[in-house]
Structures are given as structure tokens and as C-alpha cells.
Amino acid sequence: MCDTKSNSSNVREGILVGCGNPLLDISATVPMHFLERYGMKEDDAILAEERHMPIYRELAEDYQAEYLAGGSVQNSLRIAQWIIGQPNVAVFFGCVGKDKFADILREKARAAGVDAHYQVSEDTPTGTCAVLITGTHRSLCANLAAANKFTIDHLEEPENRHRIENALYYYISGFFLTVNPPSIMRVAATAHAKQRPFLMNLSAPFISQYFMTPLLDVMPYVDIIFGNEAEAHAFATAQGWPADNDLREIGKRLVALNKLNTGRPRIAILTQGCDPVLLIQHDSVQEFPVTRLTVDEIVDTNGAGDAFVGGFLSQFVQGKSLDVCIRCGNYAAGHIIKNPGCTYSGSPEFV
Ligand code: 26A
């Protein structure tokens, strides 16, 4: 049975397509010296190197880790589904292994109402992400494993090609640039050919540092770009923009980057923790306040950015105004912070 609640929305199935890395989060509260030992920073997200591999076992054996459905895009789609309250509006593509972790992800996606169509790697385990919680901060270390095996063939299968053609909105994270840029370009080109919005996320500072070339390749297709302040600053630095650029200026430069469909100018939506969300269009910057949670209310901030996007998408696919989309993003992020990982409890209370 699907645990999404029915509400008044009436959205066509399959209207939203997302591609990403399906990861199982292994989450635990750890002392600061744990991060230091692995050369990790608070609130960062990195790809696991050989030296990080012991983390996953350590979390399970010494820190009573919790196992939670994760993966950035999949998180956003689960949250969008929770708020829309009608299953199979969102379709997800990504690659998993043939194992218990894949079964958990499949079940969590299904229960949330996400129509997940995983490519399956026969010989590589499902990807995991270590989530190291230190107070109100979280640091992510992703071991992509099977997620990294995604190939464009999966999107070329006739049913999946049909699903992509059938959608009206597309969302892919910057994280997926580490896996398969040709797939991103394929989806972006379809969106462009059909004049449908293509949304993307800067995802993490390392994406701008190390994947700028494929990021700039896709940027002309991007109608809406999401990011937080650290990600926006990393993009600016990698572009050689003035170091003292404030977030508003970075946003204006982001929306001014080359765009194919000039009839629909790019929009940037930049979050900054509990400070206001910035909506940048042309030369204008609007602020949307965020309700500040008390330290006692915060369970963990893992998934807050994904939930923001999920809340936004839930309204965007219903044709709501940007104002409503952003308010719903803030609502969803606030809810997720009060729950472990990117999980929700009860029915959504966004009006
Ligand atoms: C390529 N990388 C590093 C990643 C991720 C990722 N999802 C996709 N690709 N690194 C962390 N995550 C996910 O981000 C969520 C929090 O925003 C984690 O699985 C976590 O659920």
C-alpha cells in the first residue's frame, strides 16, 4: 500500500522525471575528531576515496548507525510525492545493485509513491552515503558503487524513452555529473526540444571545483538552478568571479550565463540555511524568510536542501507561482530537519 495521503491535487502521472544516484544513507552522530581523522569538513559532501572506505563499517559497528533511503534526487522526488499525495507523479532513474540495500530503496521509493525504474548492476553493490552528524551540521561521504554504473542505454529503452518524452518537468542534480553527463545532456535536450523546464542543482562545492566542464555544457539548458551559499561561492570561485562577490551578485551572474531558450530567462534559487532564500530573476532579487528552528527542534539537517527542492517541485508541477513553490520548499525543509535523514512523518501541512 502506498503511504501517500490523498489531497486535493490532481496531477498527471509521470509528469516529473528525475535522474540521480540512488544511495542508502548510513547515518550516525559522531564526534568532531571522527571527521578530522578522515579529513572531512562539516556540511560538506564528497566522493569516497580509498581512505574513506572504513567509515561505513565503523559507523555500523561503533556508532549505532541508522539506515535511511537517500540519494539527492530520489530524496527530492520522495518529498514532492509526499506533498502531492498522489502516487507516480514522479519517475526516477538511477542504478542500484542486486542486494538488500536495493530492496530497501525500492520499497522506500514505492511507499513514498515514486515510480522508480532502476538500472541494475549485476556485479556492483548498491551505493551508500555516510552521513556524519555533528550537532546541527552534517557531512556526507558517498560511495557511489552501482550508482556509478548508470549508462545512457537505460534511458534508451523504449519504455523509459517514452517516460521521458511523456514528462513535462525534468530535474537532475549536479551530483549526477560525476556519473553520466551524456544522460544529462540527453534529458536536457529533450526538455529543450519540447520547451519544457529543465531544473538542476549545484549539489556540492566539489562539483564546481572538479566538474565545471560538464556543468557548463549543460548550463545553457538549465531553466532553474538551485544551490546553497557554499555551492554558489564554489561556482563563483571556479569561474574566477570576484572573490568578494556576495550571493546576490553571484545569483545575477548565474542567471546571466549563456542560455539556449532565451524566451524563458534562467532563474536562480539560492538557499542559505536559516537566512532568507534568494530568488534571482534578471536583475531582481527577492527574499523569502525561513522559520528559524530551535536547537532542540533539530534532529538532523541531512536532506534539508533536497527537501527544499522537493517542496518546490511539488508546487511547480502543479503550475503554482514561484512564491508558492519557494514557501513550500521552506516548509518541506523545516519538516525534514525535525526528522531523521530525509524522512517525513504524518501528513503534509502546507497550505
Ligand atoms: C555524487 N554524490 C557525492 C552524491 C551524493 C548524494 N546523492 C547523490 N550523489 N552525496 C550525498 N548524497 C545524498 O545527499 C543527501 C542529502 O542531501 C545523500 O545520500 C543524502 O541523502
Side-chain angles (χ1 to χ4, degrees), residues 29 46 69 79 122 130 139 198 224 267 326 332 349:
T29 297
I46 59 167
I79 298 305
E122 296 288 329
S139 190
F198 181 79
I224 301 187
I267 293 167
I326 293 175
E349 281 162 15

Side-chain angles (χ1 to χ4, degrees), residues 202 219 235 241 250-257 266 268 270:
L202 295 174
M219 197 55 92
F235 188 94
W241 294 346
I250 296 173
K252 287 182 195 172
R253 283 174 178 261
L254 272 171
V255 302
L257 288 170
R266 183 178 301 111
L270 301 179

Side-chain angles (χ1 to χ4, degrees), residues 29 32 66 79 86 115 150 159 228 242 249 254 290 323 346:
T29 297
M32 249 335 265
E66 272 188 273
I79 298 305
Q86 181 195 317
D115 189 18
F150 188 89
E159 324 81 74
N228 67 24
E249 288 310 311
L254 272 171
V290 170
D323 184 279

Side-chain angles (χ1 to χ4, degrees), residues 39-60:
M40 292 172 65
K41 293 190 293 241
E42 284 185 323
D43 284 331
D44 205 359
I46 59 167
L47 282 171
E49 297 163 26
E50 211 42 53
R51 67 193 169 114
H52 298 113
M53 290 308 169
I55 291 181
Y56 306 89
R57 196 180 34 80
E58 249 190 89
L59 289 182

Side-chain angles (χ1 to χ4, degrees), residues 12-18 88-93 159-171 187 190-192 194-197 317:
R12 172 163 80 58
E13 285 191 1
I15 206 173
L16 170 63
V17 156
N88 303 328
V89 169
V91 174
F92 176 76
F93 300 117
E159 324 81 74
N160 292 340
R161 190 191 280 256
H162 175 74
R163 289 183 176 104
I164 293 169
E165 306 246 317
N166 190 38
L168 297 183
Y169 301 89
Y170 304 88
Y171 175 61
V187 175
T190 306
H192 177 64
K194 295 182 178 284
Q195 306 252 332
R196 294 169 183 171
V317 300

